[in-house]
Amino acid sequence: GEWASKILQLKDEEHDIYIQSVIKSDLEEAGDEDVIRKIKKDLENHKVTEDEIRSQISKFNQKAQSELK
């Protein structure tokens, strides 16, 4: 959510609200597909590919896993 928020150039409260909306979208179904759909739709006017979104999610998932260890 934070990565996409930066692309959307959201600031302060809008930034926080957007991140919460991405977190909520992750509760729709198991896995990352719900989040990918949301971010892809939100960034459709910013020339961000689905592969880029998947890559970012993978990086953040790896980072989170290493921080939990």
Side-chain angles (χ1 to χ4, degrees), residues 32-49:
D32 295 328
E33 295 306 311
D34 43 3
V35 174
I36 291 167
R37 278 193 305 274
K38 177 182 180 20
I39 293 174
K40 184 178 177 183
K41 181 179 182 232
D42 294 345
L43 297 180
E44 66 188 354
N45 294 326
H46 294 272
K47 298 183 181 180
V48 175
T49 68

Side-chain angles (χ1 to χ4, degrees), residues 3-62:
W3 171 77
S5 176
K6 288 178 184 178
I7 293 171
L8 293 167
Q9 299 180 350
L10 302 177
K11 304 284 186 212
D12 303 320
E13 188 176 343
E14 286 182 323
H15 168 81
D16 296 338
I17 290 169
Y18 182 76
I19 290 172
Q20 289 302 312
S21 74
V22 172
I23 292 168
K24 287 179 185 175
S25 76
D26 193 27
L27 302 174
E28 292 176 14
E29 62 187 54
D32 295 328
E33 295 306 311
D34 43 3
V35 174
I36 291 167
R37 278 193 305 274
K38 177 182 180 20
I39 293 174
K40 184 178 177 183
K41 181 179 182 232
D42 294 345
L43 297 180
E44 66 188 354
N45 294 326
H46 294 272
K47 298 183 181 180
V48 175
T49 68
E50 186 174 322
D51 286 341
E52 290 174 287
I53 296 167
R54 288 182 184 281
S55 175
Q56 288 298 319
I57 288 175
S58 178
K59 286 179 188 177
F60 287 115
N61 283 341
Q62 289 173 357

